[in-house]
Amino acid sequence: MRFRIIVLAKQVPDTRNVGKDAMKADGTVNRAALPAIFNPEDLHALEQALSIKDKLPYAEVILLTMGPTRAAEIIREAMYRGADQGFLITDRKFAGSDTLATSYALSLAVRKLAPYHLVISGRQAIDGDTAQVGPQTAEKLGIPQITYAEEIRSLDAKKIIVKRRLERGVEVVNSTLPALITVHSSAAPCRQRIGKRLMKFKHARTVTELQNETKDYTELYTERPYLLIEEWSAEDLKADAVSLGLSGSPTKVKKIENVVFQLKESKSLSNSDKDIEKLMQTLIGSHIIG
Amino acid sequence: MNNIFVYCEVTEERTIADVSLELLSKGKKLAGALNVNLEAVVLGHKVIKPESLLYPFGVDVIHYADDEKLFPYTTLPHTSIIIDLFRKEQPEIVLFGATSIGRDLAPRVASALRCGLTADCTSLEIGDHFENKTQTEYKNLLYQIRPAFGGNIIATIINPETRPQMASVREGVMKKEIYSVKYKGKLNKIDAKAILKDDDFAVTIIERHLEKSRIDIKNAQVIIAGGYGVGSKENFQLLFDLAEVLGAQVGASRAAVDAGFVEHERQVGQTGVTVRPKLYIACGISGAVQHRAGMDQSAQIISINTDVNAPINQIADYIIHGNVADIIPKMIKYYKKNSK
């Protein structure tokens, strides 16, 4: 039997690249200046899956992501690095999902891929930093979770031994399979693209992407069916409408404030108590610290 | 019913973690605003005097499960007991520390109870909400305020419909305050064995030990960097003190590393690491172009220097003219005074 590993990944705006140019004059985020990237810790998760595949030839790695059509980019990226296959969960009905509604959709997609042995994701995504989707998906699947994984020590068809990175130390745990693992940024970085795989998968497209292509790829896709990236809608997942998107999300955003970064000339302060206190109040007030 | 609960984390020393005591202090204020009770949940084994430790924080009820299988923490047993307790008690609000444990446990609980959870809140308040779409007025909701989008926005999150309203908060964000040394609550013992099932032990701990993590300044949101101008290894300790208070990392210029003030892993610049934190505090760094190349994309830069003409001042948002040894203790003092 195949050893099936499902990697959960997200395409995110690169919030780490918020330099001075990424803020507009009015102090709001200039989203256009932020490139969409493969969430960094999800790449660490992919590496863990691929390194299992290196050791177990009968293992297969499937990338699962939820997002707009554009998110297919990270499926291709995963294929270039060694993933066998990918699925895109995409539907307007998922818009506005919080972590609970997201984990609901992901858990349905994972179930559709059963029997599976391991689900691996990054610990958290850099746009939200909640670290909630992994544990919530595990709960919905009714499987154990191992968070903050740094290294998979060993595994067989029934159990896995994982080293976890905690705040003040490390822990080595043994879990039954299937299980869900979230990978910490201290784990091994992901391998680079492989030239041969890049050639093989560069034309991989979702149905929606194909519709937007000017060239006719019908023949290519008949010959090479592995190039088609399947899209799953809410209906394909047999999702319960009230558990999706905004209606399935118990958390609502009441208010959003932009952190205003001043683009003014530098201010000179003295070392007086008054100046230092004022500076600390400004920093705390703008939520840069505290 | 409908009280405020705080999950109290048990430390290695079998006492209650500071972050949980901070949350009890905040919880007591929220409980006062809502006129409800404050309840603590303690799951562990042979915890040292939970009653005399927790009651002074204004705790009305301690729900305590004492069982060897609950320490050290593993996800599933703690989740099962909490879910069982919350189904009976129907809390209004639940607070968790945003720690390795809290961030592992809270989402699993929230998923099982299908309630909302907001991670890493920096502020919690009680307030009302009017929903225009449904013309519904909600009274006394928990406003869960947190940075998002890499810290570029501050969002206020609410859970109008579902209960409990759950939030996690990092250590040091709330202030630990004794409510009254004479305060007395009552103890509710939980029989863990009656709740736990074999399935709850799918994960077992083989080994655990304390181990320092590798220095990682690349992903730090706030960096306190020191240069040759800091003067000595001893003075560098001040930078570590400020970093500890702000939850920041310590960086350094090449000159400071070459002088042996700190480890090479902390070096920022062309031959070190390139960083883009939200805030970069350059202490006694002149700002050679090689150093600036590694940090000039920082969102805010503060320069502390005795030399007003130091090149780093050209790219700084704030320039503090003076001595590092004099200014950093003041920054710590006024941060502590104003942050809570």
Side-chain angles (χ1 to χ4, degrees), chain A residues 25-178:
Chain A
D26 62 357
T28 60
V29 183
N30 182 10
R31 283 171 199 249
L34 297 173
I37 58 163
F38 203 122
N39 179 50
E41 283 187 329
D42 296 342
L43 275 175
H44 289 275
L46 176 63
E47 175 57 32
Q48 291 301 317
L50 296 176
S51 66
I52 293 171
K53 203 184 150 190
D54 293 341
K55 288 171 210 135
L56 300 180
Y58 52 91
E60 60 173 343
V61 175
I62 299 176
L63 193 112
L64 193 59
T65 187
M66 179 163 124
T69 306
R70 185 184 178 186
E73 288 167 5
I74 68 166
I75 295 179
R76 278 188 290 278
E77 186 63 44
M79 287 169 156
Y80 300 157
R81 295 180 194 231
D84 297 285
Q85 218 185 335
F87 294 88
L88 173 65
I89 307 170
T90 187
D91 198 319
R92 278 177 191 282
K93 290 177 186 149
F94 296 127
S97 292
D98 70 359
T99 64
L100 195 78
T102 301
S103 64
Y104 172 68
L106 288 173
S107 70
L108 293 178
V110 171
R111 279 182 200 275
K112 208 171 148 73
L113 292 166
Y116 59 89
H117 299 81
L118 205 50
V119 183
I120 311 184
S121 75
R123 172 185 54 150
Q124 63 193 43
I126 57 170
D127 55 346
D129 290 324
T130 70
Q132 287 171 193
V133 171
Q136 291 185 322
T137 306
E139 194 280 332
K140 300 238 174 296
L141 292 168
I143 60 175
Q145 70 197 41
I146 303 168
T147 48
Y148 327 119
E150 185 170 270
E151 184 194 344
I152 294 173
R153 287 273 173 88
S154 72
L155 102 163
D156 59 37
K158 294 219 172 89
K159 68 172 207 301
I160 186 163
I161 295 178
V162 178
K163 179 184 173 194
R164 304 176 66 214
R165 167 62 57 184
L166 307 177
E167 280 153 338
R168 291 180 186 87
V170 296
E171 192 174 272
V172 180
V173 299
N174 180 347
S175 173
T176 56
L177 292 181

Side-chain angles (χ1 to χ4, degrees), chain B residues 69-225:
Chain B
K69 289 188 162 168
L70 294 175
F71 187 86
Y73 167 88
T74 47
T75 315
L76 299 177
H78 280 239
T79 307
S80 290
I81 292 179
I82 288 181
I83 290 169
D84 185 83
L85 179 70
F86 288 178
R87 288 209 168 117
K88 281 181 209 148
E89 300 289 336
Q90 305 285 320
E92 180 71 11
I93 292 171
V94 184
L95 306 179
F96 292 85
T99 59
S100 302
I101 291 176
R103 282 161 65 95
D104 180 78
L105 175 66
R108 186 130 187 150
V109 170
S111 175
L113 298 176
R114 298 203 175 102
C115 64
L117 166 65
T118 305
D120 296 343
C121 294
T122 50
S123 177
L124 297 170
E125 291 161 21
I126 300 291
D128 300 337
H129 176 66
F130 187 76
E131 184 65 57
N132 282 322
K133 225 189 277 172
T134 54
Q135 295 287 304
T136 316
E137 167 113 51
Y138 296 91
K139 287 273 181 206
N140 292 326
L141 292 179
L142 181 68
Y143 287 0
Q144 303 146 51
I145 300 158
R146 78 178 298 252
F149 214 72
N152 296 292
I153 60 174
I154 302 294
T156 301
I157 312 285
I158 49 171
N159 314 136
E161 297 286 347
T162 56
R163 294 291 177 275
Q165 306 166 80
M166 306 214 313
S168 71
V169 179
R170 281 181 191 272
E171 183 171 350
V173 173
M174 302 298 172
K175 194 175 178 183
K176 182 168 98 177
E177 282 169 303
I178 297 281
Y179 178 73
S180 158
V181 285
K182 290 182 195 142
Y183 205 84
K184 281 279 175 294
K186 59 177 193 206
L187 188 71
N188 167 38
K189 284 200 173 170
I190 299 171
D191 181 6
K193 286 196 174 60
I195 298 165
L196 298 177
K197 294 180 287 298
D198 287 351
D199 283 356
D200 290 324
F201 300 98
V203 177
T204 50
I205 296 171
I206 299 172
E207 181 199 324
R208 53 202 297 274
H209 61 268
L210 298 176
E211 185 184 295
K212 265 196 176 167
S213 51
R214 290 186 295 267
I215 298 163
D216 178 21
I217 61 167
K218 209 169 62 196
N219 295 312
Q221 297 280 321
V222 179
I223 294 176
I224 323 290

Side-chain angles (χ1 to χ4, degrees), chain B residues 24 28 38-40 54-62 179 183-186:
Chain B
L24 286 172
K28 189 67 187 175
L38 175 66
E39 309 196 12
L54 298 182
Y55 291 143
F57 288 91
V59 174
D60 298 292
V61 182
I62 300 173
Y179 178 73
Y183 205 84
K184 281 279 175 294
K186 59 177 193 206

